[in-house]
Amino acid sequence: MSEKLRGADIFVRALIDEGVEILFGYPGGAVLHIYDALYAQDKIKHILVRHEQGATHAADGYARATGKPGVVLVTSGPGATNAVTGIATAFMDSIPLVVFTGQVPTHLIGNDAFQEVDCIGITRPCVKHNFLVERVEDLALTIKKAFYVATSGRPGPVVVDIPKDVTANVAEYHYPTSVDIRSYKPTTKGHPGQIKKAAQLILSAEKPMLYTGGGVVIDNAAAELTQFGRLLGYPVTNTLMGLGGYPATDPQFIGMLGMHGTYEANMAMHHCDVLVAIGARFDDRVTGDLAQFCPYAKIVHIDIDPSSISKNVRVDVPIVGGVANVLGELNKLIKESGREPANRETNPWWRQIREWQKLECLAFDRSSKLIKPQAVVESLYKITGGDAYITSDVGQHQMWAAQYYKFDQPRRWINSGGLGTMGFGLPAAMGVQLAFPNERVVCITGEASFVMCVQELSTCLQYDLPLKIVSLNNRYMGMVRQWQEFFYERRYSHSYMDALPDFVKLAEAFGHVGMRVENPSDVEGALHEAFALKSRLVLMDFITDQSENVYPMIAAGKGQHEMHLAPSASDRELA
Amino acid sequence: MRHTISILLENAAGALSRVAGLFSARAYNIESLSVAPTEDPTVSRLTLVTRGSAEVIEQITKQLNKLVDVIRLIDLNEGSAIERELMLIKVRAIGGEQREEITRLAGIYGARIVDVTESSFIIELTGDSTKLDAFIEIIGAKRILEVVRSGVLGILRGTKALRA
């Protein structure tokens, strides 16, 4: 005989039974019954954010770092709409979130009631799925379905909209251990025939290239990918979302690809004869001009989402399935073939790649009297031994973080790749720190992005989150300024951050430690000092060279091989 | 190319808006759309007509399949299918000569006159879309008071069936 519970208590019990440990939220009228039920328990830790966008980003950071779904609770109306940016961010990067939104009571829906918004309608285009719970009897099963849909197949955010009366009404509580949805059956195993075909093509390559994305990280397939790469001895490039999927310090890793990828990665993409795309989706920031993309390559594409295959680029051997699963099968076939890995010393393709590497496309001016943003990231990498969790906001600092911090492990690099959401970094770092209280969590940001969710510094104080915030402050929206320099004849229209706050005082006002760093010689010392303050949040305001640009750069719509190089690297260009 | 796609959909609130929303969000076009429950009241069958290159149609079917409420679908262009559309058309019919001509045309097209007043007819006609278009053409815009079409319905020939 199951027990009868109020909807609000069913909600809390279901979350506990689902194994939820942390709930990111902000109360309001429509969810007061639920907040009352939360008050009476101590199994779920509720984190009170300062804005609902922060709740969704924090849950997202938690999910990216742990692989577990991030869980959010917000109220109806503005609570729900504030959460939308975070939901869309998670959607674009396939991050499992379950977002519970309060709703006005069922009899008021459609009545333009106070704090009413059509949450299902508003979130529909940026969720994997959403549910409106109309009866308390459906609540537990709907919660189960929401977690199942969010975390299976290609993961994504799921919204559950709960009217207030549903949380007050009473029903029998039963939480199912599993759920079956007839209209939702994700494929996880690849087709054996296709896998065989792929193996043959891969083994026949003379100029192979492994191009891997966020799917490797999401499917926990880094070990399989690393084995795959090493069995073959082929060059590997990662997308922005895929960093850490293959160890960055491995000699086969030739850097990130795409708009701000390395010269060698983009050149190798352009010239390869067999391209193996693994958990990557041929995003426009990766491919550049589709007509010029990988013109000589036969393409194998492994992805769990059939709609990602042949969406932008026609592929020769599509394999629908989980990346870990398919790579496991491929690894077996490669081992059976008895093939030796490509020899990096003697192989002509590797010799060509080494020529491209000689360009040193990521070199920068180390004698400058100004702080070079790249140098800050490099120092951070050195001081943390590559062993920190790095979140970032969006813009130049994000690209420098991706280029100069070498990620050897998955789930360490946490950024908004698809949607490109400024304001993501700080709340995401909170989510990571809450998941791993004893790890070093760093938010690399810029002064423009940082203030977009700056209110969360207050949350960090409340929960003693000792984040280290590295702000590369160039007094510009740097990436906007860079595009204006390149493509708008230096008309810096509204990209200048006038009237910035004193960031040291700002940090102090929120109860944290602030540092301002202006000389290149002080960078390492400041970082050491900040990390020594183990229990404190430290905001480091690095005053960097305003004119620095992110190189290499492929202008939007150009071919992969048409890169703008840093002025110093252009001098070295041999070809 | 014109494609007719038949979809079995959960008969749930908001399911139709997910399909319609997908088309607007991804800039696909819908020429016609019809939807009603099947013999199983939990399942709706939706038939839509769209246009696009082979690549676009492939994406449309993949994206539709990705919707959690979509149970199964079939592109009717991939097999031999029967398509029908229902039209009710209200026409001005004044004077013996005109009324006789309309009655004769309706007869030729296998249409039925289902409502008669002193000055108008309502004609019911089923067929594929081109037949309906042709009938509208022959009746002529001047005489037409109102046209209502159901959108296309489609079903595969033979024993192969689209079932939940």
Side-chain angles (χ1 to χ4, degrees), chain A residues 316-344:
Chain A
D316 301 281
V317 186
I319 303 174
V320 177
V323 166
N325 220 312
V326 174
L327 282 176
E329 295 302 316
L330 279 171
N331 286 342
K332 275 187 222 160
L333 294 178
I334 293 161
K335 273 188 248 173
E336 279 167 22
S337 77
R339 241 285 279 280
E340 292 290 311
N343 183 318
R344 276 184 300 110

mmCIF file of all heavy atoms in Angstrom, chain A residues 316-344:
data_model
loop_
_atom_site.group_PDB
_atom_site.id
_atom_site.type_symbol
_atom_site.label_atom_id
_atom_site.label_comp_id
_atom_site.label_asym_id
_atom_site.label_seq_id
_atom_site.Cartn_x
_atom_site.Cartn_y
_atom_site.Cartn_z
ATOM 1 N N ASP A 316 30.127 9.800 -45.935
ATOM 2 C CA ASP A 316 30.189 8.558 -46.704
ATOM 3 C C ASP A 316 29.792 7.354 -45.873
ATOM 4 O O ASP A 316 29.146 6.439 -46.368
ATOM 5 C CB ASP A 316 31.600 8.389 -47.269
ATOM 6 C CG ASP A 316 31.964 9.567 -48.147
ATOM 7 O OD1 ASP A 316 31.510 9.588 -49.303
ATOM 8 O OD2 ASP A 316 32.648 10.496 -47.675
ATOM 9 N N VAL A 317 30.224 7.332 -44.611
ATOM 10 C CA VAL A 317 29.865 6.211 -43.738
ATOM 11 C C VAL A 317 29.248 6.755 -42.449
ATOM 12 O O VAL A 317 29.961 7.088 -41.496
ATOM 13 C CB VAL A 317 31.094 5.327 -43.402
ATOM 14 C CG1 VAL A 317 30.643 4.095 -42.617
ATOM 15 C CG2 VAL A 317 31.833 4.915 -44.664
ATOM 16 N N PRO A 318 27.929 6.871 -42.411
ATOM 17 C CA PRO A 318 27.279 7.321 -41.177
ATOM 18 C C PRO A 318 27.106 6.161 -40.200
ATOM 19 O O PRO A 318 26.796 5.042 -40.620
ATOM 20 C CB PRO A 318 25.914 7.808 -41.660
ATOM 21 C CG PRO A 318 25.641 7.042 -42.917
ATOM 22 C CD PRO A 318 26.971 6.677 -43.517
ATOM 23 N N ILE A 319 27.338 6.424 -38.924
ATOM 24 C CA ILE A 319 27.056 5.413 -37.897
ATOM 25 C C ILE A 319 26.256 6.091 -36.795
ATOM 26 O O ILE A 319 26.763 6.982 -36.111
ATOM 27 C CB ILE A 319 28.351 4.824 -37.291
ATOM 28 C CG1 ILE A 319 29.242 4.226 -38.390
ATOM 29 C CG2 ILE A 319 28.009 3.763 -36.246
ATOM 30 C CD1 ILE A 319 30.601 3.756 -37.885
ATOM 31 N N VAL A 320 24.997 5.677 -36.641
ATOM 32 C CA VAL A 320 24.192 6.217 -35.554
ATOM 33 C C VAL A 320 24.402 5.336 -34.334
ATOM 34 O O VAL A 320 24.168 4.129 -34.383
ATOM 35 C CB VAL A 320 22.698 6.247 -35.931
ATOM 36 C CG1 VAL A 320 21.859 6.743 -34.754
ATOM 37 C CG2 VAL A 320 22.480 7.128 -37.148
ATOM 38 N N GLY A 321 24.849 5.945 -33.248
ATOM 39 C CA GLY A 321 25.049 5.172 -32.030
ATOM 40 C C GLY A 321 25.830 5.954 -31.010
ATOM 41 O O GLY A 321 26.372 7.023 -31.308
ATOM 42 N N GLY A 322 25.866 5.430 -29.802
ATOM 43 C CA GLY A 322 26.650 6.053 -28.739
ATOM 44 C C GLY A 322 28.130 5.990 -29.105
ATOM 45 O O GLY A 322 28.619 4.974 -29.596
ATOM 46 N N VAL A 323 28.828 7.076 -28.851
ATOM 47 C CA VAL A 323 30.225 7.174 -29.249
ATOM 48 C C VAL A 323 31.090 6.122 -28.540
ATOM 49 O O VAL A 323 31.926 5.464 -29.169
ATOM 50 C CB VAL A 323 30.724 8.612 -28.949
ATOM 51 C CG1 VAL A 323 32.220 8.699 -29.024
ATOM 52 C CG2 VAL A 323 30.070 9.598 -29.904
ATOM 53 N N ALA A 324 30.866 5.937 -27.240
ATOM 54 C CA ALA A 324 31.685 4.989 -26.470
ATOM 55 C C ALA A 324 31.506 3.572 -27.028
ATOM 56 O O ALA A 324 32.470 2.834 -27.255
ATOM 57 C CB ALA A 324 31.302 5.033 -24.999
ATOM 58 N N ASN A 325 30.248 3.238 -27.239
ATOM 59 C CA ASN A 325 29.899 1.941 -27.782
ATOM 60 C C ASN A 325 30.552 1.673 -29.137
ATOM 61 O O ASN A 325 31.201 0.644 -29.362
ATOM 62 C CB ASN A 325 28.375 1.969 -27.979
ATOM 63 C CG ASN A 325 27.752 0.682 -27.593
ATOM 64 O OD1 ASN A 325 28.241 -0.361 -28.016
ATOM 65 N ND2 ASN A 325 26.706 0.741 -26.787
ATOM 66 N N VAL A 326 30.387 2.617 -30.050
ATOM 67 C CA VAL A 326 30.890 2.439 -31.416
ATOM 68 C C VAL A 326 32.422 2.416 -31.422
ATOM 69 O O VAL A 326 33.034 1.588 -32.108
ATOM 70 C CB VAL A 326 30.345 3.544 -32.348
ATOM 71 C CG1 VAL A 326 30.976 3.457 -33.723
ATOM 72 C CG2 VAL A 326 28.821 3.456 -32.442
ATOM 73 N N LEU A 327 33.034 3.308 -30.638
ATOM 74 C CA LEU A 327 34.500 3.305 -30.589
ATOM 75 C C LEU A 327 35.022 1.992 -30.021
ATOM 76 O O LEU A 327 36.041 1.463 -30.469
ATOM 77 C CB LEU A 327 35.013 4.479 -29.749
ATOM 78 C CG LEU A 327 34.999 5.857 -30.435
ATOM 79 C CD1 LEU A 327 35.452 6.928 -29.443
ATOM 80 C CD2 LEU A 327 35.875 5.889 -31.676
ATOM 81 N N GLY A 328 34.312 1.458 -29.030
ATOM 82 C CA GLY A 328 34.693 0.165 -28.467
ATOM 83 C C GLY A 328 34.717 -0.912 -29.549
ATOM 84 O O GLY A 328 35.664 -1.712 -29.637
ATOM 85 N N GLU A 329 33.691 -0.916 -30.389
ATOM 86 C CA GLU A 329 33.620 -1.897 -31.483
ATOM 87 C C GLU A 329 34.735 -1.662 -32.505
ATOM 88 O O GLU A 329 35.377 -2.609 -32.976
ATOM 89 C CB GLU A 329 32.252 -1.816 -32.177
ATOM 90 C CG GLU A 329 31.069 -2.213 -31.309
ATOM 91 C CD GLU A 329 31.177 -3.635 -30.768
ATOM 92 O OE1 GLU A 329 31.537 -4.540 -31.548
ATOM 93 O OE2 GLU A 329 30.933 -3.833 -29.562
ATOM 94 N N LEU A 330 34.953 -0.399 -32.826
ATOM 95 C CA LEU A 330 36.009 -0.086 -33.798
ATOM 96 C C LEU A 330 37.380 -0.507 -33.268
ATOM 97 O O LEU A 330 38.210 -1.044 -34.008
ATOM 98 C CB LEU A 330 36.007 1.414 -34.112
ATOM 99 C CG LEU A 330 34.976 1.898 -35.136
ATOM 100 C CD1 LEU A 330 34.935 3.413 -35.175
ATOM 101 C CD2 LEU A 330 35.278 1.341 -36.534
ATOM 102 N N ASN A 331 37.596 -0.262 -31.972
ATOM 103 C CA ASN A 331 38.885 -0.633 -31.384
ATOM 104 C C ASN A 331 39.143 -2.132 -31.514
ATOM 105 O O ASN A 331 40.263 -2.563 -31.800
ATOM 106 C CB ASN A 331 38.952 -0.197 -29.916
ATOM 107 C CG ASN A 331 39.140 1.316 -29.795
ATOM 108 O OD1 ASN A 331 39.552 1.973 -30.758
ATOM 109 N ND2 ASN A 331 38.835 1.855 -28.632
ATOM 110 N N LYS A 332 38.089 -2.927 -31.328
ATOM 111 C CA LYS A 332 38.233 -4.385 -31.489
ATOM 112 C C LYS A 332 38.686 -4.709 -32.911
ATOM 113 O O LYS A 332 39.613 -5.500 -33.113
ATOM 114 C CB LYS A 332 36.886 -5.074 -31.225
ATOM 115 C CG LYS A 332 36.622 -5.364 -29.758
ATOM 116 C CD LYS A 332 35.347 -6.202 -29.621
ATOM 117 C CE LYS A 332 34.502 -5.697 -28.458
ATOM 118 N NZ LYS A 332 33.089 -6.107 -28.546
ATOM 119 N N LEU A 333 38.012 -4.108 -33.882
ATOM 120 C CA LEU A 333 38.331 -4.407 -35.282
ATOM 121 C C LEU A 333 39.757 -3.974 -35.629
ATOM 122 O O LEU A 333 40.460 -4.658 -36.382
ATOM 123 C CB LEU A 333 37.338 -3.721 -36.220
ATOM 124 C CG LEU A 333 35.885 -4.219 -36.145
ATOM 125 C CD1 LEU A 333 34.997 -3.419 -37.076
ATOM 126 C CD2 LEU A 333 35.804 -5.710 -36.499
ATOM 127 N N ILE A 334 40.160 -2.837 -35.088
ATOM 128 C CA ILE A 334 41.509 -2.346 -35.407
ATOM 129 C C ILE A 334 42.562 -3.268 -34.797
ATOM 130 O O ILE A 334 43.566 -3.600 -35.434
ATOM 131 C CB ILE A 334 41.674 -0.890 -34.925
ATOM 132 C CG1 ILE A 334 40.769 0.020 -35.756
ATOM 133 C CG2 ILE A 334 43.123 -0.429 -35.045
ATOM 134 C CD1 ILE A 334 40.489 1.355 -35.131
ATOM 135 N N LYS A 335 42.289 -3.718 -33.557
ATOM 136 C CA LYS A 335 43.222 -4.662 -32.930
ATOM 137 C C LYS A 335 43.302 -5.957 -33.737
ATOM 138 O O LYS A 335 44.384 -6.478 -33.981
ATOM 139 C CB LYS A 335 42.788 -4.955 -31.489
ATOM 140 C CG LYS A 335 43.344 -3.936 -30.499
ATOM 141 C CD LYS A 335 43.066 -4.362 -29.066
ATOM 142 C CE LYS A 335 42.063 -3.399 -28.461
ATOM 143 N NZ LYS A 335 41.588 -3.783 -27.140
ATOM 144 N N GLU A 336 42.129 -6.446 -34.154
ATOM 145 C CA GLU A 336 42.105 -7.682 -34.949
ATOM 146 C C GLU A 336 42.888 -7.546 -36.250
ATOM 147 O O GLU A 336 43.467 -8.509 -36.742
ATOM 148 C CB GLU A 336 40.653 -8.064 -35.301
ATOM 149 C CG GLU A 336 39.927 -8.774 -34.176
ATOM 150 C CD GLU A 336 38.421 -8.835 -34.440
ATOM 151 O OE1 GLU A 336 38.006 -8.724 -35.614
ATOM 152 O OE2 GLU A 336 37.671 -8.982 -33.457
ATOM 153 N N SER A 337 42.897 -6.339 -36.799
ATOM 154 C CA SER A 337 43.577 -6.142 -38.087
ATOM 155 C C SER A 337 45.092 -6.280 -37.940
ATOM 156 O O SER A 337 45.804 -6.453 -38.929
ATOM 157 C CB SER A 337 43.243 -4.759 -38.649
ATOM 158 O OG SER A 337 43.997 -3.775 -37.961
ATOM 159 N N GLY A 338 45.581 -6.168 -36.716
ATOM 160 C CA GLY A 338 47.020 -6.303 -36.483
ATOM 161 C C GLY A 338 47.839 -5.124 -36.999
ATOM 162 O O GLY A 338 49.064 -5.199 -37.102
ATOM 163 N N ARG A 339 47.161 -4.043 -37.310
ATOM 164 C CA ARG A 339 47.862 -2.880 -37.853
ATOM 165 C C ARG A 339 48.684 -2.169 -36.782
ATOM 166 O O ARG A 339 48.248 -1.962 -35.673
ATOM 167 C CB ARG A 339 46.813 -1.896 -38.383
ATOM 168 C CG ARG A 339 46.929 -1.627 -39.865
ATOM 169 C CD ARG A 339 48.057 -0.741 -40.261
ATOM 170 N NE ARG A 339 47.720 0.643 -40.064
ATOM 171 C CZ ARG A 339 46.977 1.359 -40.908
ATOM 172 N NH1 ARG A 339 46.528 0.816 -42.020
ATOM 173 N NH2 ARG A 339 46.691 2.606 -40.658
ATOM 174 N N GLU A 340 49.893 -1.769 -37.176
ATOM 175 C CA GLU A 340 50.731 -0.958 -36.284
ATOM 176 C C GLU A 340 50.261 0.494 -36.350
ATOM 177 O O GLU A 340 49.826 0.954 -37.411
ATOM 178 C CB GLU A 340 52.194 -1.012 -36.749
ATOM 179 C CG GLU A 340 52.850 -2.364 -36.577
ATOM 180 C CD GLU A 340 53.095 -2.693 -35.117
ATOM 181 O OE1 GLU A 340 53.646 -1.828 -34.400
ATOM 182 O OE2 GLU A 340 52.703 -3.799 -34.688
ATOM 183 N N PRO A 341 50.387 1.231 -35.258
ATOM 184 C CA PRO A 341 50.047 2.652 -35.327
ATOM 185 C C PRO A 341 50.972 3.401 -36.291
ATOM 186 O O PRO A 341 52.134 3.005 -36.462
ATOM 187 C CB PRO A 341 50.249 3.159 -33.899
ATOM 188 C CG PRO A 341 50.761 2.021 -33.094
ATOM 189 C CD PRO A 341 50.796 0.800 -33.918
ATOM 190 N N ALA A 342 50.471 4.443 -36.906
ATOM 191 C CA ALA A 342 51.291 5.244 -37.822
ATOM 192 C C ALA A 342 52.507 5.785 -37.059
ATOM 193 O O ALA A 342 52.382 6.228 -35.925
ATOM 194 C CB ALA A 342 50.465 6.403 -38.372
ATOM 195 N N ASN A 343 53.622 5.720 -37.717
ATOM 196 C CA ASN A 343 54.865 6.170 -37.082
ATOM 197 C C ASN A 343 55.040 7.666 -37.321
ATOM 198 O O ASN A 343 55.148 8.119 -38.458
ATOM 199 C CB ASN A 343 56.033 5.393 -37.687
ATOM 200 C CG ASN A 343 57.340 5.755 -37.019
ATOM 201 O OD1 ASN A 343 57.609 6.906 -36.734
ATOM 202 N ND2 ASN A 343 58.157 4.734 -36.763
ATOM 203 N N ARG A 344 55.071 8.422 -36.241
ATOM 204 C CA ARG A 344 55.083 9.874 -36.387
ATOM 205 C C ARG A 344 56.403 10.405 -36.958
ATOM 206 O O ARG A 344 56.480 11.517 -37.450
ATOM 207 C CB ARG A 344 54.761 10.564 -35.065
ATOM 208 C CG ARG A 344 53.255 10.664 -34.826
ATOM 209 C CD ARG A 344 52.908 11.433 -33.579
ATOM 210 N NE ARG A 344 53.479 10.789 -32.403
ATOM 211 C CZ ARG A 344 54.474 11.277 -31.700
ATOM 212 N NH1 ARG A 344 55.004 12.431 -32.028
ATOM 213 N NH2 ARG A 344 54.946 10.616 -30.667
#
